Amino acid sequence: MAADARAVVAHHFDSPDQQREAASLGMWVFLVTEVMFFGGLFLAYVVYRGSFPHAFAAASRELDIVLGTTNTALLLASSLTMALAVRAAQLGRRLPLVVFLALTMALGSVFLGIKMYEYHHKFVEGLFPGAAFRFSGPEAPHAEMFFCLYFAMTGLHALHMVIGLGVLAVMLVLGARGRFGPLYHNPVECAGLYWHFVDIVWIFLFPLLYLVGRHA
Amino acid sequence: MKTHPHTGPVVPVGVYVAVFAALLILTAMTTAAAFHDLGPMNNVVALGIAALKATLVVLFFMHVRYGTRLIPLVVAAGLFWLVILIALSLTDYLTRGWLGVPGR
Amino acid sequence: MVALPSETGIPPKVHYLNADYGIRSWLLTTDHKRIGILYLISITFFFAIGGLMAVLIRMELATPEGDLFQSDTYNRLFTMHGIMMIFFFLIPSIPAVLGNFLIPIMVGARDLAFPRLNLFSWYLFNIAGLFTIWALVHGGVDTGWTFYTPYSTRYSNTHVIATALGIFIAGFSSILTGLNFVVTIHRMRAPGLGWFRLPLFVWSLYATSLIFILGTPVLAITLLLLAAERVFGIGIFDPSLGGDPLLFQHLFWFYSHPAVYIMVLPAMGVVSEIVPAFARKKIFGYRFIAYASVALAVLGFLVWAHHMFVAGMSIYAATVFSALSMLVAVPSAVKVFNWTATLYQGSISWDTPMLYALGFIGLFTMGGLTGVMLATLGIDVHVHDTYFIIAHFHYIMVGGAIMGYLGGLHYWWPKITGKLYPRFWSRISAMVIFIGFNVTFFPQFILGYLGMPRRYHAYPPEFQVLNVMSSAGATILGVGYLIPLIYFIWSMRYGRHASSNPWGVVGLEWETTSPPPTENFETPPVVTRGPYEYSRSEEVADGR
């Protein structure tokens, strides 16, 4: 093993390749646990939407489709910048790495800002589940179930975004200090995998929550 | 595609941009489709497009297309178990009313 | 003549236990062997708490009247007994202690793939335990370990949130352990160590890790939704919003049924190591046992609703789950038959680990066969929520998992500590535990079949004889557990030094010193043969 490789490989690994493949496999396995974690919520969604299709359609129309679509586009764009950040780390290009990470964080923050605005709006309209819930359409309790799921799913997704932003901030600092290069960029790669996963969750949440009853 | 011996796959920028463009187009398509009454096909289109988008992200942004064969297996296992969770639970929900006896 | 390897030996000058001293060197260690010992200490503590609850439960049930505790107190006792034993003892027992210690050695690696994550998971586990103990000392929980809604969300005024949070965090700890094992087994095997040269213990823990990874997150989201419903009124399971309490049960059992396999699969792995070692014979049907482990992990996920047959689920779905449940018997029986076939014509030595392993095989068979009975819809309706169920799952969890855990601990103790424990007392304890266990739990099969329901602190007087038997057995069992605790601690100070291979068996872990060096091997091993090549090992012992 070359001296520069030895410097970045932990004592219990034999080579940078083994270390990188272990890190990437570990991250993928973690993402599988995340799939199952959100899976419980998706099951609840499937069961209740199957039971109360009309209430779900009516409740879904209360969501702002313009904001939802904008947020989808923002998150997709942040995935692009994230992929480019990983590429920069692989090639050991420090400035592009920092710039793309910062862009990713900026896009993610705007997403969260819009999400907060939407939440605020729902609170004001009395669409948060609980004693203060007000819904003018039919089947109010079932519509409330839709909003239970809406807040649980998007809230959990937003929490993942916040954690992701924290991870990216750490990567930004380490990247700016020049810690990553062709031999060692597993942390950026894993952070990227996580960020893309959060993007994928939203790719499914968007049609399930925002697009249900639009044609009626 | 150039690869340093230890870097893992370095994907050309053009690929990423093309994938991003495809994702945006698919988003526009799914939103537009939602405003047309396609009957039960609305759900199929919405979920189909979402699955397509997710596949693009997984294959290109997440490098599954370029990595070892183990990773697709891990992804498949995750999806398979998600299907177990939802499908076997639905055996209950879809057949609960069949007997016509309340509470059974 | 075959020169038997000697039991005692001279310890290596530097090994993982004396490589570094002081409390910091333990609390900040990333050595998988030391973390295994940290887990051993933690789970022994939690086992003692869970055991104390069991003692109190059996005391109350010695008389038909509810004279020792109020029914409310009794509810909290059995809830805490279940939570402590399941989430804080049985689930981490073999994986986090023996698995942590052995997997890197068995695959010929210097450590697990993510050593710091491993230490982190131990801290998470203890934080989780603290939450639960906090809940315990502040009055406990009365929902049963299953937290069924709407009682847990609406009506119980006990510490549901703190306990659920504790289990949530403990779940993270086990996810990280499983993740570490999977990556280590995939990516860090020594040269020459193909999948079918792995010891069956590694196979069984690989299968266990799959359950950790795929099942635990579902429990996590379920408990999170439970907490959200209690705190924020986000009523996913709330019937007044059209919510379905059965959905909670589906989600809960999706994890908690496979969790039984988390407990018993590692024990099966231990038995698959012990049986060939003390029969001095290559294991029969290696590949079948390996595949059966994976099959159990997969099938374990297809049967969960057999816990809900009388809960109001669809009778058609119940039929499907009933049939699938019976399938579990197939890989289980494959294992039992293969162990039996390994014993056939072996030169069996009755050492302590073997006594535990044989105990496991018998008790697991009992538990498994009654499991097939319970998978049958009609019988399940008859004995649902009776002591028959209690007896059944204690045969699996105590008779199976704990026997396996103790067997493994006795088998590898000389490797872990480098010390030998008293042979006489260890054999006595194995037999006391076996007898005590059967006296405790066999009467419960009869009680349940006669109709005594679970989770009550009082019962009709005609059930007293069998209950007194059960309580008496529990006393014997308790003594049986205390004996190993005493001589294990004794052996650490006064035990003779173990040689590197005190049992004279094969396996990578016996090729390094006892205790092993910090990086496990003096020279990185290269594997050239399968795991149970007993005929050849005699040649080696013979000097060839």
Side-chain angles (χ1 to χ4, degrees):
Chain A
M1 210 191 301
D4 56 337
R6 212 172 297 129
V8 293
V9 175
H11 76 101
H12 56 295
F13 288 113
D14 294 328
S15 66
D17 280 344
Q18 190 189 31
Q19 174 165 279
R20 191 172 51 80
E21 284 180 0
S24 136
L25 177 60
M27 195 62 208
W28 275 101
V29 170
F30 175 73
L31 294 185
V32 167
T33 72
E34 290 274 27
V35 169
M36 297 309 289
F37 188 65
F38 279 98
L41 274 172
F42 280 108
L43 171 64
Y45 177 91
V46 170
V47 167
Y48 293 140
R49 174 150 170 217
S51 307
F52 321 120
H54 302 297
F56 269 47
S60 167
R61 278 193 291 275
E62 298 289 325
L63 302 181
D64 189 328
I65 193 163
V66 176
L67 292 180
T69 314
T70 313
N71 255 352
T72 309
L74 281 172
L75 213 49
L76 292 173
S78 80
S79 254
L80 173 68
T81 55
M82 187 69 232
L84 292 171
V86 173
R87 189 175 186 276
Q90 284 176 317
L91 298 172
R93 295 179 186 157
R94 197 189 297 192
L95 184 65
L97 169 63
V98 170
V99 169
F100 282 125
L101 281 176
L103 265 177
T104 311
M105 291 176 68
L107 288 163
S109 304
V110 176
F111 175 96
L112 281 178
I114 292 179
K115 198 79 234 159
M116 288 308 118
Y117 172 78
E118 281 188 87
Y119 279 170
H120 173 74
H121 209 62
K122 295 287 164 293
F123 271 104
V124 173
E125 288 177 348
L127 290 174
F128 187 80
F133 185 79
R134 299 284 174 273
F135 186 73
S136 50
E139 297 186 60
H142 299 161
E144 190 174 346
M145 179 58 85
F146 175 86
F147 281 101
C148 285
L149 284 165
Y150 169 79
F151 279 101
M153 293 169 113
T154 58
L156 211 57
H157 178 262
L159 180 69
H160 277 77
M161 297 270 304
V162 172
I163 294 169
L165 286 177
V167 172
L168 290 187
V170 175
M171 292 305 129
L172 190 75
V173 173
L174 293 179
R177 289 187 191 158
R179 287 279 287 277
F180 303 120
L183 283 177
Y184 182 71
H185 52 267
N186 320 330
V188 187
E189 200 181 326
C190 290
L193 288 176
Y194 178 81
W195 192 263
H196 296 309
F197 170 80
V198 175
D199 186 15
I200 289 176
V201 172
W202 184 259
I203 285 176
F204 282 97
L205 288 185
F206 172 61
L208 290 181
L209 295 173
Y210 286 80
L211 301 181
V212 179
R214 292 296 160 186
H215 53 78
Chain B
M1 193 191 312
K2 51 180 178 177
T3 45
H4 186 282
H6 301 297
T7 18
V10 178
V11 182
V13 177
V15 173
Y16 286 143
V17 174
V19 168
F20 175 61
L23 288 171
L24 283 186
I25 292 166
L26 286 169
T27 306
M29 279 170 64
T30 189
T31 311
F35 284 93
H36 297 278
D37 190 354
L38 311 171
M41 286 306 284
N42 271 108
N43 291 330
V44 178
V45 170
L47 284 177
I49 292 182
L52 191 59
K53 285 162 75 180
T55 312
L56 285 175
V57 173
V58 167
L59 286 183
F60 294 96
F61 285 174
M62 298 171 90
H63 293 174
V64 166
R65 192 168 173 268
Y66 311 101
T68 53
R69 273 180 308 171
L70 182 60
I71 304 296
L73 198 67
V74 173
V75 178
L79 293 179
F80 179 67
W81 256 264
L82 187 63
V83 169
I84 291 179
L85 172 65
I86 293 176
L88 274 180
S89 298
L90 287 183
T91 61
D92 177 16
Y93 287 98
L94 296 179
T95 64
R96 215 182 268 178
W98 282 9
L99 207 57
V101 180
R104 266 279 133 210
Chain C
M1 199 189 129
V2 177
L4 283 174
S6 82
E7 271 188 23
T8 55
I10 303 150
K13 270 210 178 61
V14 181
H15 48 77
Y16 81 101
L17 290 170
N18 69 6
D20 204 352
Y21 288 101
I23 192 88
R24 267 176 66 92
S25 79
W26 281 87
L27 292 181
L28 298 177
T29 184
T30 52
D31 182 349
H32 65 101
K33 298 181 287 301
R34 286 189 167 206
I35 295 169
I37 288 181
L38 291 176
Y39 263 114
L40 174 66
I41 296 166
S42 298
I43 68 163
T44 307
F45 175 68
F46 293 130
F47 178 73
I49 296 178
L52 179 69
M53 303 292 155
V55 168
L56 297 176
I57 289 170
R58 282 321 317 171
M59 276 166 70
E60 167 63 64
L61 293 178
T63 56
E65 302 83 23
D67 37 18
L68 189 57
F69 300 112
Q70 304 280 316
S71 53
D72 275 348
T73 317
Y74 186 79
N75 291 346
R76 290 157 206 234
L77 280 177
F78 70 68
T79 302
M80 266 304 162
H81 169 69
I83 289 171
M84 275 294 159
M85 287 302 199
I86 289 171
F87 294 109
F88 293 96
F89 174 72
L90 284 164
I91 286 176
S93 62
I94 298 179
V97 178
L98 298 174
N100 235 327
F101 191 94
L102 289 163
I103 283 188
I105 304 182
M106 283 180 164
V107 304
R110 291 187 282 276
D111 204 325
L112 286 171
F114 309 115
R116 276 178 296 182
L117 212 58
N118 196 19
L119 181 67
F120 180 58
S121 84
W122 179 73
Y123 277 102
L124 279 182
F125 179 67
N126 284 301
I127 292 168
L130 285 182
F131 268 106
T132 312
I133 288 174
W134 181 91
L136 174 70
V137 295
H138 283 79
V141 195
D142 65 350
T143 60
W145 76 280
T146 48
F147 294 104
Y148 275 7
T149 56
Y151 182 69
S152 57
T153 47
R154 272 281 169 105
Y155 305 105
S156 172
N157 53 5
T158 52
H159 295 283
V160 175
I161 302 276
T163 320
L165 197 64
I167 295 170
F168 180 83
I169 298 170
F172 265 92
S173 154
S174 42
I175 286 175
L176 295 181
T177 302
L179 187 154
N180 230 331
F181 287 174
V182 164
V183 176
T184 306
I185 296 168
H186 268 288
R187 289 287 184 237
M188 304 190 64
R189 299 193 308 276
L193 189 54
W195 280 89
F196 292 104
R197 283 181 177 173
L198 286 173
L200 289 166
F201 181 73
V202 177
W203 271 96
S204 75
L205 277 174
Y206 184 80
T208 309
S209 304
L210 292 183
I211 306 176
F212 275 144
I213 290 162
L214 295 159
T216 319
V218 179
L219 177 74
I221 187 71
T222 312
L223 294 176
L224 209 59
L225 291 175
L226 178 87
E229 187 161 340
R230 249 182 107 93
V231 181
F232 302 115
I234 297 190
I236 303 275
F237 308 115
D238 184 354
S240 67
L241 305 184
D244 181 15
L246 275 190
L247 179 66
F248 174 88
Q249 298 186 21
H250 276 299
L251 288 167
F252 179 84
W253 289 112
F254 180 84
Y255 165 78
S256 296
H257 186 75
V260 178
Y261 301 91
I262 292 180
M263 304 172 205
V264 83
L265 267 170
M268 290 171 156
V270 169
V271 171
S272 304
E273 296 299 313
I274 293 176
V275 165
F278 294 93
R280 289 294 186 278
K281 228 180 124 219
K282 188 173 177 172
I283 196 150
F284 186 86
Y286 171 90
R287 284 192 184 222
F288 274 91
I289 298 182
Y291 288 137
S293 291
V294 180
L296 276 176
V298 177
L299 284 175
F301 279 99
L302 307 179
V303 302
W304 76 82
H306 65 215
H307 296 268
M308 304 159 55
F309 283 163
V310 302
M313 69 180 287
S314 149
I315 193 81
Y316 300 99
T319 315
V320 172
F321 278 105
S322 168
L324 286 170
S325 302
M326 291 189 195
L327 281 184
V328 173
V330 176
S332 309
V334 164
K335 293 198 171 209
V336 171
F337 291 144
N338 280 321
W339 294 322
T340 319
T342 308
L343 291 171
Y344 178 67
Q345 288 197 336
S347 53
I348 295 169
S349 48
W350 302 94
D351 279 305
T352 316
M354 188 63 158
L355 295 180
Y356 279 108
L358 294 175
F360 171 95
I361 296 174
L363 299 178
F364 172 75
T365 306
M366 286 274 297
L369 289 176
T370 49
V372 181
M373 287 172 73
L374 289 169
T376 322
L377 277 171
I379 296 180
D380 184 80
V381 171
H382 176 56
V383 296
H384 186 89
D385 263 352
T386 68
Y387 268 80
F388 193 87
I389 307 285
I390 306 283
H392 156 69
F393 73 69
H394 280 88
Y395 264 75
I396 298 288
M397 293 181 186
V398 184
I402 298 188
M403 290 298 256
Y405 171 65
L406 287 175
L409 210 54
H410 282 85
Y411 183 49
W412 285 294
W413 187 259
K415 182 56 63 183
I416 295 172
T417 61
K419 297 295 177 71
L420 297 170
Y421 50 82
R423 184 171 279 199
F424 173 77
W425 284 108
S426 60
R427 285 181 180 173
I428 293 284
S429 82
M431 283 182 283
V432 169
I433 290 174
F434 183 81
I435 293 165
F437 173 82
N438 280 295
V439 176
T440 310
F441 291 106
F442 194 82
Q444 298 186 2
F445 276 126
I446 306 168
L447 280 171
Y449 209 77
L450 295 175
M452 178 167 162
R454 67 193 284 197
R455 295 183 169 175
Y456 284 91
H457 72 318
Y459 54 85
E462 56 263 39
F463 292 141
Q464 191 176 10
V465 175
L466 288 166
N467 268 299
V468 169
M469 256 178 89
S470 185
S471 292
T475 317
I476 303 174
L477 191 58
V479 172
Y481 287 143
L482 280 179
I483 305 172
L485 186 71
I486 295 166
Y487 64 68
F488 275 148
I489 293 174
W490 177 90
S491 78
M492 284 192 282
R493 191 169 170 86
Y494 302 105
R496 287 174 302 148
H497 291 294
S499 72
S500 59
N501 189 358
W503 309 110
V505 294
V506 297
L508 267 188
E509 76 268 32
W510 305 108
E511 288 174 19
T512 184
T513 55
S514 305
T518 301
E519 293 210 325
N520 295 339
F521 297 95
E522 300 294 345
T523 48
V526 176
V527 181
T528 54
R529 57 182 182 185
Y532 306 105
E533 304 284 348
Y534 273 95
S535 49
R536 283 190 226 171
S537 91
E538 278 168 17
E539 289 165 26
V540 174
D542 212 7
R544 233 174 299 212

